[in-house]
Amino acid sequence: QIKDYYILLDIVSMFVKCMRDNDYPFGLHELFDEQSDEIKTLNNKLNNPVETWNPRLPQNKFFICEVDLECHPLEVEPPLGMKTAISGKGFKASYTLHWENTRRTGWYTSIDIYLCLRNKGKVHNIKRAFIWPYRGNIFCKWISKTFDGKKAAKKSGEKAKEKFYKTVGNGCYGSSLQR
């Protein structure tokens, strides 16, 4: 039973702002295994200060890796989710997503690795990774058009046009996350 305040906060234009102001990976990604120089470099980097993993640093490439890690044991809300199969097998499996602090091997992004390390978790070993060669602010022009269109429509009282631009901007964010 909750005996405290329950607050729901909504951030205005969060999706649009994230897509407009941040770098994203692009180019043909490549899979590297444990024997590759790229994975050896990432594993050696685990000894460096957590700040060197910051995904906003331009020298850091984006990647998705199979990794052995664990969140800090006292973390109340661990930053990394974990999927557990509840039925079926392979592509037909159904999964549930939950958060816990146990050690596990799974597929996580470079941003997840940074969050784990920043919150004093432990990354034991990166096994293999899909690494993108480039990063850039690839959505800025398009998202700025949807954001500016929404603002102009709101200012001129065109509610349908305002809703259209909001839907297009938010839809772009959701669509890119599915890929």
Side-chain angles (χ1 to χ4, degrees):
Q1 181 180 10
I2 297 174
K3 295 183 178 184
D4 203 347
Y5 293 102
Y6 180 73
I7 299 173
L8 175 62
L9 300 174
D10 186 17
I11 301 169
V12 176
S13 300
M14 180 184 76
F15 297 143
V16 174
K17 181 165 179 36
C18 287
M19 290 197 72
R20 188 188 64 202
D21 297 350
N22 292 293
D23 284 352
Y24 288 86
F26 67 95
L28 182 61
H29 61 272
E30 190 174 342
L31 177 61
F32 296 97
D33 66 12
E34 235 168 342
Q35 307 311 314
S36 69
D37 290 339
E38 288 79 0
I39 299 303
K40 288 176 184 174
T41 300
L42 288 173
N43 279 314
N44 288 335
K45 188 177 172 184
L46 291 171
N47 298 318
N48 294 354
V50 67
E51 295 79 25
T52 64
W53 286 87
N54 189 330
R56 293 182 189 270
L57 295 175
Q59 68 270 24
N60 288 340
K61 292 184 178 181
F62 288 105
F63 60 87
I64 298 173
C65 64
E66 183 179 26
V67 60
D68 175 11
L69 57 71
E70 59 190 310
C71 295
H72 190 279
L74 299 178
E75 184 90 57
V76 176
E77 290 187 27
L80 306 178
M82 185 167 126
K83 284 186 179 180
T84 304
I86 54 175
S87 67
K89 290 184 178 181
F91 291 112
K92 294 185 180 184
S94 294
Y95 294 89
T96 183
L97 182 62
H98 60 281
W99 283 260
E100 60 181 56
N101 299 341
T102 59
R103 185 171 177 173
R104 81 291 291 260
T105 296
W107 286 89
Y108 293 94
T109 68
S110 48
I111 296 168
D112 293 329
I113 300 301
Y114 172 66
L115 291 174
C116 180
L117 294 170
R118 187 190 69 185
N119 290 5
K120 307 218 183 323
K122 176 74 175 151
V123 176
H124 298 283
N125 182 41
I126 296 174
K127 299 171 184 270
R128 55 189 172 149
F130 290 98
I131 302 176
W132 277 264
Y134 308 111
R135 61 181 293 143
N137 200 316
I138 57 178
F139 298 111
C140 186
K141 286 182 184 177
W142 170 250
I143 292 299
S144 291
K145 282 183 183 181
T146 66
F147 187 72
D148 294 342
K150 179 185 164 198
K151 276 178 37 179
K154 184 174 187 169
K155 188 175 182 178
S156 64
E158 299 174 89
K159 294 213 178 276
K161 205 173 190 180
E162 178 187 354
K163 189 71 166 173
F164 168 78
Y165 280 112
K166 178 180 178 167
T167 302
V168 170
N170 288 348
C172 293
Y173 185 80
S175 294
S176 71
L177 288 179
Q178 292 174 355
R179 303 215 177 331

